[in-house]
Amino acid sequence: MPARHAAAHACPIRDVLDRVGDAWTVLVLTELQTGPCRFNALGRVVDGISPRMLAATLRHLERDGLVTRRVLDCKPPQVEYAITARGASLHAALGGLVDWAAAHQPDINQSRRRFDDAVARPAR
């Protein structure tokens, strides 16, 4: 591992934020918190995620020990993902952020509209 990458992983805050700061991790963990889910079902409920990005996100989460992957014995084979205890503890830690986002999204959207309107029509 290059020295600068090793140094980045030595900082626990940066290391974890790299994982949870991506566009999909929190949404996937939130969905898996309700119970195990198959790949295609996850793709349907996580709005806007492509199959490629879902696969990459699940690989990262599995690598970090946040989810487990189980191949189901059926034809054709299907894969089911479940949140681990570590993943559930991360989801619980993110709960305040999730709640805050839901509570403040309308106000943020209103602020964005006001800002965009002001930029589009500068005061003279």
Side-chain angles (χ1 to χ4, degrees), residues 72-109:
L72 302 173
D73 187 23
C74 59
K75 298 224 185 238
Q78 296 181 350
V79 177
E80 180 180 81
Y81 293 89
I83 196 166
T84 63
R86 183 182 304 149
S89 70
L90 174 59
H91 184 266
L94 293 170
L97 176 62
V98 170
D99 293 345
W100 186 92
H104 293 282
Q105 185 185 26
D107 295 334
I108 291 170
N109 287 338

Side-chain angles (χ1 to χ4, degrees), residues 62-78:
E62 184 181 8
R63 181 174 181 252
D64 288 349
L66 302 172
V67 303
T68 58
R69 178 183 186 271
R70 182 172 71 117
V71 179
L72 302 173
D73 187 23
C74 59
K75 298 224 185 238
Q78 296 181 350

